[in-house]
Amino acid sequence: MSEHKCGWCIGDKLYESYHDNEWGVPVYNDHQLFEFLILETFQAGLSWITILRKRENFREAFDFFNYKKIANYNEDKKASLLQNAGIIRNKLKINATITNAQLYIEIQKEFGSFSKYIWAFVDGKPIKGKVINYKKAPTNTPLSDAISKDLKKRGFKFVGSTVVYAFMQAIGMVNDHEINCFRYDEV
């Protein structure tokens, strides 16, 4: 008998690998945090598996999520991204990625790192969720509302509370593995 996994990932090897190895594992590295932030903003209105399947294309198209390079993208680079069939070609989201990269650098200047900024919302410690069935997991919380509000006040785009909550789950700020999932006590 195999170990129990969260129901949302069952049946797709890429999804299961992401679940088993990345989802909910605390991330403190600014480069990785930026990648997750951008992928979550592109996911807005789409399924996560769609983004996951295009993740390598996103990495290549966006200079492996080098936010310092992205912050300086020009009109030619934007035009080439809009022609790239390997990613989500949404002009608003591409523009938001550039804006968010610029603002990400501003947060680093203010707080020393984006990691210090984002993890301060939970005093540096992941919140242990109590999800019994993934279908009943929250999609936003008062905390994701507060983070979303703060990011928007700073000028970030595509950072509504639901996107922020998905980001919090992905980077391990909140552990929403089902309580009987083998990863629940591991992360």
Side-chain angles (χ1 to χ4, degrees):
M1 174 143 169
S2 64
E3 296 173 295
H4 179 81
K5 296 182 186 198
C6 297
W8 59 263
C9 72
I10 303 297
D12 185 293
K13 294 240 183 272
L14 181 62
Y15 237 4
E16 288 187 34
S17 176
Y18 172 71
H19 167 274
D20 294 356
N21 299 300
E22 288 185 83
W23 193 69
V25 176
V27 174
Y28 299 96
N29 174 284
D30 271 14
H31 185 87
Q32 288 177 284
L33 289 169
F34 185 75
E35 177 175 349
F36 277 114
L37 181 64
I38 297 312
L39 291 175
E40 292 294 350
T41 61
F42 269 94
Q43 188 263 329
L46 303 168
S47 68
W48 181 243
I49 193 65
T50 299
I51 301 303
L52 211 51
R53 288 184 179 131
K54 293 177 177 279
R55 188 179 193 181
E56 289 307 316
N57 297 335
F58 273 103
R59 283 180 174 152
E60 288 182 33
F62 284 96
D63 290 295
F64 297 89
F65 296 103
N66 180 332
Y67 47 86
K68 290 177 182 168
K69 279 187 177 179
I70 295 168
N72 292 305
Y73 280 1
N74 60 25
E75 293 303 317
D76 289 343
K77 179 63 176 183
K78 284 189 218 178
S80 74
L81 289 168
L82 285 169
Q83 297 302 314
N84 187 334
I87 65 169
I88 305 302
R89 296 179 288 181
N90 179 306
K91 188 174 186 172
L92 293 175
K93 290 179 180 181
I94 289 168
N95 286 334
T97 299
I98 298 164
T99 298
N100 290 353
Q102 294 162 351
L103 298 168
Y104 196 86
I105 293 167
E106 292 303 311
I107 284 180
Q108 288 178 317
K109 288 176 187 171
E110 183 178 345
F111 292 89
S113 71
F114 187 84
S115 182
K116 285 180 186 172
Y117 161 78
I118 201 71
W119 280 95
F121 284 98
V122 292
D123 295 324
K125 297 180 195 99
I127 296 167
K128 201 87 160 154
K130 303 274 188 261
V131 175
I132 295 170
N133 181 311
Y134 77 97
K135 291 178 182 173
K136 295 185 179 174
T139 57
N140 63 317
T141 62
L143 181 57
S144 67
D145 293 346
I147 296 170
S148 170
K149 185 177 179 182
D150 192 70
L151 287 169
K152 286 178 180 178
K153 184 180 77 179
R154 294 170 182 277
F156 280 76
K157 307 289 185 212
F158 286 95
V159 289
S161 189
T162 301
V163 168
V164 168
Y165 194 73
F167 174 67
M168 292 168 64
Q169 291 173 311
I171 67 164
M173 279 179 74
V174 62
N175 177 356
D176 272 351
H177 282 280
E178 293 173 359
I179 58 174
N180 62 347
C181 173
F182 81 98
R183 291 294 281 157
Y184 182 74
D185 288 323
E186 291 181 4
V187 297

